[in-house]
Amino acid sequence: GLDGFESTDAIIVIGATNRPDVLDPALLRPGRFDRHIVVDQPDVIGREKILGIHIRNQKVPVDDSVKLDELSKGVPGMSGADLANMVNEAALLAARKNHENVTHLDFEEAKEKLMMGAKRHMVISDDEREIIAYHEAGHAMLMEYIEEFDPLLKVTILPQGRGLGVTMPLPEERKLMSKQFCLASMAVALGGRVAEKLIFDELTSGASNDIEKVTAIARHMVCEWGMSEKLGATALGEKEGEVFLGKDIGH
Ligand code: NHX
Ligand code: ZN
């Protein structure tokens, strides 16, 4: 029923978008695009298959040690493009080390590089290195001891990507955020700042990214997920389509 096509024409019109939220509603009316197919990020099984496809297509020689199911488990949320990238990066690392076949460790290294950003060389004074170490230790301790949170995967004070230090969980595949998990995530994210305060009785600007994370979770909990006992199950978000000016005042 799209204008310009007769129903007898043997033509199928297919469209794709990453932003269904901002499509002109006219496109979605009955008789326009009749079938809507949601293509989500791949799940753990999808990721394993996608890895297999890229390995075959790029004719990457893989070692017997490579366990695709294990790799796939460790990269929740990765897209098809991310996975293609990971295969590429693993092949490059293997070539650099003169490996005949790409090993499981090559894949693990590629994974870390993609998830945390490349390691960077940076001159850091001993004093600052100590602050960074306590900051990361604060995150790591809470990650280890708070049962509601994901297990600790790795902690480092080697600069990676944009971070001077990183503490990484091994995230579980989850579709729902329980209130318990939200609170646990906030505690873990604040662990770095708390350690700095406890040990040095001083605050630094370094916790900016952690504070951003905590603020985002708290805002979601109260404004969208109805997890505030005082405000109750009320949607205070009004993210889209609302009066531009009123938005922030409402919050
Ligand atoms: C700066 N960087 O901007 C310096 C170079 C507190 C020990 N002057 O919380 O590296 O202060 O647990 C993504 C990832 C900003 C976005 C990291 C944006 C880091 C990271 C600021 C460790 N680890 N802070 C952390 C850190 C910093 C920043 C980011 C980001 C520090 C902290 C960055
Ligand atoms: Zn931190």
Side-chain angles (χ1 to χ4, degrees):
L2 283 175
D3 287 349
F5 296 102
E6 297 299 325
S7 55
T8 50
D9 289 345
I11 295 175
I12 296 171
V13 180
I14 300 177
T17 180
N18 284 327
R19 297 292 310 274
D21 50 324
V22 295
L23 283 182
D24 182 346
L27 277 172
L28 302 173
R29 279 205 279 275
R32 306 280 162 83
F33 285 97
D34 288 326
R35 297 259 154 72
H36 304 161
I37 301 169
V38 177
V39 183
D40 261 336
Q41 296 296 32
D43 60 13
V44 65
I45 298 164
R47 290 195 298 271
E48 183 178 344
K49 290 188 177 154
I50 290 170
L51 280 175
I53 288 169
H54 287 301
I55 286 169
R56 248 180 292 129
N57 285 357
Q58 299 177 44
K59 300 198 171 58
V60 175
V62 290
D63 190 75
D64 287 340
S65 62
V66 175
K67 296 188 202 69
L68 291 186
D69 54 339
E70 224 168 79
L71 285 171
S72 158
K73 249 187 246 161
V75 291
M78 268 204 184
S79 68
D82 294 330
L83 294 164
N85 229 343
M86 183 163 116
V87 172
N88 243 329
E89 193 63 45
L92 282 172
L93 287 171
R96 201 175 301 155
K97 288 184 272 182
N98 291 320
H99 291 170
E100 210 166 295
N101 295 318
V102 183
T103 66
H104 192 76
L105 267 178
D106 295 327
F107 273 102
E108 288 284 350
E109 253 179 70
K111 178 187 110 184
E112 274 188 22
K113 197 166 166 191
L114 288 178
M115 291 181 75
M116 320 220 286
K119 290 196 179 76
R120 281 164 46 201
H121 291 278
M122 231 189 260
V123 180
I124 299 171
S125 70
D126 287 350
D127 285 353
E128 286 197 334
R129 206 191 307 276
E130 204 179 345
I131 296 172
I132 298 167
Y134 275 107
H135 178 104
E136 299 311 329
H139 287 305
M141 277 183 65
L142 290 183
M143 214 177 274
E144 198 52 24
Y145 289 123
I146 295 182
E147 272 171 35
E148 289 80 7
F149 196 72
D150 294 325
L152 174 65
L153 176 68
K154 171 169 178 152
V155 52
T156 177
I157 59 166
L158 298 174
Q160 327 251 333
R162 286 185 63 192
L164 299 168
V166 176
T167 306
M168 261 187 57
L170 178 63
E172 266 159 43
E173 190 104 19
R174 64 168 66 70
K175 309 270 182 293
L176 298 170
M177 302 269 284
S178 69
K179 185 171 175 182
Q180 281 280 350
F181 180 77
C182 291
L183 294 173
S185 307
M186 290 170 76
V188 169
L190 288 170
R193 161 55 68 91
V194 170
E196 289 182 52
K197 174 77 180 137
L198 280 176
I199 303 297
F200 303 103
D201 194 21
E202 174 70 293
L203 305 178
T204 71
S205 63
S208 63
N209 188 243
D210 296 331
I211 291 169
E212 236 174 81
K213 271 192 238 166
V214 171
T215 309
I217 298 172
R219 195 175 274 264
H220 283 303
M221 289 174 72
V222 174
C223 297
E224 286 163 51
W225 302 337
M227 291 175 179
S228 156
E229 277 171 25
K230 276 196 185 150
L231 292 167
T234 308
L236 302 165
E238 307 288 307
K239 279 174 303 189
E240 240 65 58
E242 266 309 304
V243 187
F244 181 58
L245 257 176
K247 209 167 71 175
D248 272 357
I249 298 168
H251 270 280

